[in-house]
């Protein structure tokens, strides 16, 4: 099976890592970039597919040169055989639509010059934009079937079909089973859990994980970079010029106050009364 995993770099939103300017705009240059957390589930699904059926997994991302580190992280932390970075200045400031156009061009070039693709995996949504649009829009540009909110899957290579369990929209308690012909897109849900029931699968998983960690140490040897000319893309339809979305403003997430009001109590300040009020809750008897 030949799989592609689409991944993206996002700001590290851990406490103290995000930097905003005086106008409240995110300063990406001063904020560390990490792999989008939801993309890890897509990588796990691709690895599961490779463990069960054999094959090849390529990571693909569109972004600045620094996104090579994101692709390297994907290779090291989960699994990929190689990486493809779509990058140059003409692609800067792309919205999800322009990104999808670029990614679809990258997928078509991959099919023409590298190999046919069986499944493209994408994460649910990114930690910065949270639109959940790039995967489905890229699929639309490819005119392939898509299965979203996938929590479990398997593939029948002989029948060229994918069978998946997915969460029904709007109701995480309801699960449906669907089938799709290959090639197709799969958008994994954060509830996705890979399964390796056979001992042979668990052994293969261990071997592949060791191989990918070793390969990641020499990531540059496994990285291919394509710019917009390589992809035969018109600058009018990519980057900022090709992005119909207009962002009016970005509001930073408010930080919790560093200091909170507190009342200091001494042993003689009526602690018995306070403890008496709290005891039912500590015992689980409160509302």
């Amino acid at each position: 099976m030949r799989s592609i995993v689409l991944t993206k770099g996002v700001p590290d939103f851990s406490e103290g890592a995000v930097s905003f300017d005086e106008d409240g705009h995110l300063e990406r240059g001063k904020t560390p970039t990490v792999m989008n957390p939801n993309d890890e589930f897509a990588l796990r699904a691709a690895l599961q597919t490779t463990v069960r059926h054999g094959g090849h997994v390529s990571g693909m991302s569109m972004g600045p040169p620094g996104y090579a580190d994101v692709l390297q992280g994907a290779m090291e932390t989960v699994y990929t055989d190689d990486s493809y970075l779509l990058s140059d200045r003409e692609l800067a400031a792309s919205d999800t639509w322009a990104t999808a156009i670029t990614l679809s061009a990258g997928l078509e070039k991959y099919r023409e010059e590298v190999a046919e693709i069986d499944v493209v995996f994408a994460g649910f949504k990114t930690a910065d934009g949270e639109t959940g649009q790039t995967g489905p829009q890229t699929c639309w540009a490819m005119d392939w079937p898509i299965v979203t909110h996938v929590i479990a899957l398997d593939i029948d290579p002989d029948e060229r079909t994918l069978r998946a369990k997915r969460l029904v929209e709007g109701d995480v308690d309801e699960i449906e089973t669907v089938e799709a012909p290959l090639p197709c897109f799969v958008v994994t849900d954060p509830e996705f859990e890979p399964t390796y029931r056979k001992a042979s699968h668990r052994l293969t998983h261990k071997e592949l994980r060791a191989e990918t960690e070793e390969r990641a140490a020499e990531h540059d040897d496994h990285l291919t970079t394509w710019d917009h000319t390589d992809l035969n893309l018109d600058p009018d339809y990519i980057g900022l010029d090709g992005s119909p979305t207009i962002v009016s403003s970005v509001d930073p997430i408010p930080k919790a106050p560093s200091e909170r009001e507190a009342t200091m109590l001494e042993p003689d300040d009526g602690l018995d009364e306070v403890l008496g009020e709290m005891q039912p809750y500590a015992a689980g008897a409160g509302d």
Side-chain angles (χ1 to χ4, degrees), residues 4-8 36 39 42 95-97 99-101 103-104 107 120-126 131-148 184-188:
I4 304 286
V5 181
L6 304 180
T7 186
K8 181 191 176 186
N36 178 49
D39 295 343
D95 66 359
T96 60
W97 176 250
T99 299
I101 294 299
L103 288 172
S104 65
L107 294 174
V120 176
F121 293 94
F124 173 44
K125 59 184 179 181
T126 58
T131 65
Q133 296 171 347
T134 302
Q137 286 176 331
T138 306
C139 180
W140 180 88
M142 299 292 291
D143 195 24
W144 288 1
I146 186 171
V147 185
T148 60
C184 69
F185 267 67
V186 169
V187 177
T188 50

Side-chain angles (χ1 to χ4, degrees), residues 208-268:
L208 292 179
R209 284 286 299 122
E211 291 174 6
T212 197
E213 290 177 3
E214 183 177 343
R215 189 162 48 243
E218 305 293 337
H219 183 251
D220 288 348
D221 295 339
H222 306 280
L223 174 66
T224 299
T225 302
W226 291 329
D227 61 21
H228 80 282
T229 58
D230 295 323
L231 301 174
N232 196 29
L233 287 170
D234 187 332
D236 291 339
Y237 295 94
I238 57 175
L240 182 61
D241 290 343
S243 299
T245 305
I246 299 175
V247 180
S248 60
S249 64
V250 177
D251 296 328
I253 300 173
K255 294 183 178 180
S258 57
E259 296 182 1
R260 298 182 181 182
E261 294 183 3
T263 301
M264 299 299 296
L265 297 176
E266 299 293 336
D268 299 331

